[in-house]
Amino acid sequence: MATLQLQRERVEALIDQVVSGMQRLEVLIEEDTPVSIISMDKWDWSQGVGLFSLYQYYKETGDRGILAYLTDWFDDRLREGLPPKNVNTMCPMLTLSYLYEETRRPEYLSVCEEWASYAVDDMPRTPEFGITHVTTESMNEGELRGDTLYMTVLFMGRMGVLLKKEHYVQESIRQFLIHLKYLTDTRTGLFFHGWSFIRRDNYARALWGRGNAWYTAGLVDYLGIVELPLGFEMFLVASLEQQVRKLGELQADSGMWRTVLDDPEAYEETSATAGFAYGILKAVRKGYISETFLGAGIAALQAVIRKIDANGMVQGVSYGTRMGHSRQFYNRIPQCPMPYGQSMTLLMLVESLHHLDE
Amino acid sequence: MKKSVVVIDDKPLILRSIVQTVDWNSLGCTVVGQAEDGIEGKRIIHDKQPDILITDIKMPGMSGLDLAEYMHLAFPQSKTILITGYQDFEYAKRAVKLGVYDIIVKPVRNDELQRIIGLAVHELDSARQELSQRAERDEAFNQLEERHQNSLPSLRSQFVSELIGGSVPHDDKLAETTASLGLAWNRCTVLIVRSKRPLAAVQGADSLSISPMLHGAMTEMAQLAAARREFEIIDSYRHDDLVLACLFPKPLTPRELKMKLQSFCHDFIELVRQRHGLTICIAVSPVYRQLQDLRQAYEGASALMDTSFFHTEGQVLFPEMVEPSGEGGKFSIIRDLEQFNRMLEQVSSDEMIGHLEQIIAHIRAYSEGNIRVAKGLISDVCLAAARYYYRATGDEFGFDRSINEVLEDIYRLRDMREASDYLAAFIKTVKTKLSGDDKEYSLVVKESVDYINGRFAENISLTAVAEHFGLSPSYLSRLLRAETGINFVDLVAKARIEAAKRLLRDPRLKVNEVGEMVGYKEYAYFYQVFKKTEGISPKEFKNRSKES
């Protein structure tokens, strides 16, 4: 039986390092996006993931300093004015909805209500009413992507619960179903990066690491956010188990996963590995999947910890990745510390506090 | 403090001489007033309230003797010095009677006057000192007395607790202590007070002991009720129980004692119910004469309290209520149990429940106050009913509660009435489940259910079971549904989930291991079936059983 062999003090020290690393991230490489996804004081998906992990850490520890950082961050962004609404800019809203519950500040709630209503009713849809993966740089017409579940649909379900609007919950369920329908690789139980209703194919059929990790991590949190009908809950839990089963086979000896999961030539990628570790450890703890998968989660956790450098920077994280038209595309994405690398590591470390040998 | 002096003389020369030539300062005196006649003198005395009066006897208006009398009456501590021109015995005699301090014969010699005033001052001082010392002594005494009174209740409690605990001092020491604590008794008895039903809000879930928080308030109520009946309550605390010692100062007859105690208990129970919404019961010990017997009295009350399991009616237990052992006790019980088993199969649910009174009475008699015996026998009755159900249906898991849960329920029963209610409900469940038109399962169904319950951990299929009994699968399926009301798959699931629930309580087993042990190879499938039947996931079930 795999055990963690970690002390609480050690994990807490790592958490502090990774948090301060996240807050000190600098743009070291030439970015190809219109808005920086590295710098922490911008409003986009990459920062949103980091905020959510900080929120989870706050809930775990009750550290008021972290809560203050989060509310300050949102207050600054709200003062500057928010960016146009799309799948990716929706991401920080999940955290804001929880901050509303912490602070009961009406301005938080009204922003959340406005954005949730946009996601449910006005966001561009593909055929079959999937949410089109519109981003700041492109309309991506007719395109479904796995990240949408994490970036937008979690928030949608969450707002259905918060506002007691059942049709928000139903819409989040429908989005999960259509994404799983078009993105599941039935041969492996893993997930493709995207689907195009125009091309009617899955592009390069790439089983991209981080995209899969967002599914694992996001799904576990979705199950915790929304009380689902048992039939649908079982559908998700079973899909999760299929995915994790295959991941177990593909995990490298190092405990890492590769950026293209089934390509032995691809490099080992840290953010995906951290997301898988978080999702697997939490799914086991919550009883969604069998404890036989605990070992894979712990091996991944230990591998990620080895990627944290002395400055708290999580190394080996691939830069933001667009839809690739070939598998080689993914292999050529550069690696550097990124907010989501920090934050997925942070989610994982916070979760590991539940698994210490105490 | 300087002494105040008033000088009165109708001869101005003498008056001036006294006022001006005596060295008042060195005597520690001040002249606060002077007068030349008795009437004016009396007014000044009245105004100035002097410590010392020096007055001539013969004066117009009022004589010096009159003034001396007035002075003595108004200010008993004061000193009066008379000045007289005559050595007159009669005057002297009267003066002494009036409490005059001294008499000086004219002509007044300053040194003599000064000496006498000095003596008077000295006497005034020592009298005053004595007075203040006495006041201090009185004050100190009062404080001690008060402190003693305040600590008396806790000292009494402590003393009585020691007696109840069994540490009895020598007779001399006992007499001394009881005297110092002001304890008077001629008869004594001990009461144990408990809550009749556990009040989760007030105390620990299962405890019937009175919460220590209520201890003080309840003792006060008891003391109030006792004072009205001319006896005293001293509170004590033993084995978490509120224990009250009752001391009766008069030698009462047993009948009088019983009446006093009964009406006291009635009042006390009512007071506690009104003030605290708490239903209490009280066990009263036999009455003793000696405080040395409080230990024995406590043991008597304690034993009596234990029998409350068998006495469900009243809230007050008196010693004579316990049936003397042997009388009414029974030597045999198996015959009753066997008869009960036969009745299970032969008579209706209502008749069974009618008969329950009798079996409960027999169990009570046989147990002779031993709770463990009574609960053991009640368990046997329940198990017999469960076995009967199994014989009729072949289904070990047909109840909502598993056998271990049933036995735990019985362990927790608080009195025979609860036991009786529990048995009635249990028997009713068994009979109702079987009565589906009073029809037992047919042999095939019985055997099939038993077969399933014995093999659910294997990959068991309808075809295999049907083959085993030489039947067609569709026929068996119809048969099962018709008689049990659920289909084959659900029968298997029910058996598996019941078994899983027991296994999940075992901390050594992991959830996925339990799933596999009861026959679910797929974790997700186990999760689904479990959540469907129990409403929570197996992991949540396990976590909850850990907490409880």
Side-chain angles (χ1 to χ4, degrees), chain A residues 53-64:
Chain A
S53 70
L54 282 175
Y55 171 74
Q56 301 235 47
Y57 186 46
Y58 158 67
K59 285 311 276 183
E60 197 61 42
T61 60
D63 183 340
R64 308 295 293 182

Side-chain angles (χ1 to χ4, degrees), chain A residues 142-145 182-183 193-197 200-203:
Chain A
E143 188 176 324
L144 292 179
R145 282 202 219 166
Y182 284 103
L183 296 174
H193 190 180
W195 162 263
S196 165
F197 276 100
R200 294 209 69 84
D201 69 9
N202 292 104
Y203 300 92

Side-chain angles (χ1 to χ4, degrees), chain B residues 179-441:
Chain B
S180 74
L181 294 177
L183 295 178
W185 76 97
N186 217 295
R187 297 286 186 276
C188 56
T189 177
V190 164
L191 316 180
I192 296 178
V193 184
R194 274 191 200 161
S195 163
K196 185 86 175 158
R197 291 275 173 271
L199 257 186
V202 185
Q203 54 212 11
D206 256 351
S207 168
L208 291 173
S209 298
I210 301 296
S211 155
M213 281 168 3
L214 292 177
H215 192 170
M218 285 183 54
T219 301
E220 256 173 53
M221 283 184 252
Q223 281 168 339
L224 212 66
R228 245 180 273 142
R229 293 171 179 80
E230 296 175 319
F231 67 94
E232 204 167 353
I233 291 272
I234 294 162
D235 62 315
S236 167
Y237 203 52
R238 188 160 176 79
H239 301 318
D240 283 351
D241 272 322
L242 178 57
V243 178
L244 303 175
C246 306
L247 306 189
F248 296 86
K250 291 179 190 161
L252 300 166
T253 66
R255 211 177 67 85
E256 289 170 320
L257 279 166
K258 170 107 189 246
M259 277 172 59
K260 271 187 193 287
L261 282 167
Q262 254 170 348
S263 73
F264 161 80
C265 288
H266 179 268
D267 268 18
F268 182 39
I269 286 168
E270 195 52 28
L271 272 172
V272 172
R273 196 184 59 74
Q274 285 172 359
R275 301 265 176 83
H276 297 289
L278 192 66
T279 309
I280 53 170
C281 65
I282 303 172
V284 184
S285 79
V287 175
Y288 291 87
R289 285 167 190 248
Q290 308 276 339
L291 284 190
Q292 288 92 317
D293 294 329
L294 279 180
R295 163 91 194 161
Q296 217 172 325
Y298 168 76
E299 280 168 356
S302 180
L304 196 57
M305 187 52 104
D306 286 343
T307 67
S308 70
F309 182 81
F310 297 96
H311 297 281
T312 54
E313 304 77 23
Q315 283 178 254
V316 187
L317 300 163
F318 280 98
E320 53 267 41
M321 283 174 64
V322 180
E323 297 145 27
S325 65
E327 189 182 302
K330 284 179 66 90
F331 299 109
S332 71
I333 191 73
I334 298 289
R335 201 172 58 87
D336 298 314
L337 293 173
E338 280 296 307
Q339 189 198 354
F340 188 79
N341 287 356
R342 276 194 301 279
M343 289 182 74
L344 269 172
E345 308 194 7
Q346 290 159 2
V347 307
S348 74
S349 163
D350 288 345
E351 281 176 77
M352 285 296 302
I353 288 163
H355 182 69
L356 211 55
E357 291 285 316
Q358 197 188 331
I359 185 99
I360 288 281
H362 287 178
I363 288 175
R364 180 201 298 257
Y366 185 82
S367 316
E368 289 184 338
N370 188 329
I371 298 173
R372 266 170 294 192
V373 173
K375 286 184 174 175
L377 294 172
I378 292 163
S379 304
D380 182 80
V381 173
C382 284
L383 286 174
R387 281 201 306 276
Y388 162 62
Y389 180 83
Y390 172 78
R391 283 197 302 277
T393 63
D395 184 3
E396 182 165 351
F397 308 117
F399 297 116
D400 303 329
R401 302 184 79 67
S402 62
I403 293 300
N404 58 343
E405 285 169 325
V406 169
L407 291 176
E408 272 170 33
D409 289 342
I410 293 169
Y411 174 74
R412 288 203 196 92
L413 291 175
R414 272 187 296 267
D415 56 45
M416 283 302 264
R417 180 182 297 165
E418 264 191 21
S420 174
D421 291 349
Y422 187 82
L423 270 182
F426 192 82
I427 287 162
K428 204 173 177 101
T429 312
V430 170
K431 287 298 245 182
T432 314
K433 274 191 172 274
L434 287 176
S435 68
D437 296 343
D438 253 351
K439 204 171 60 189
E440 267 192 27
Y441 289 178

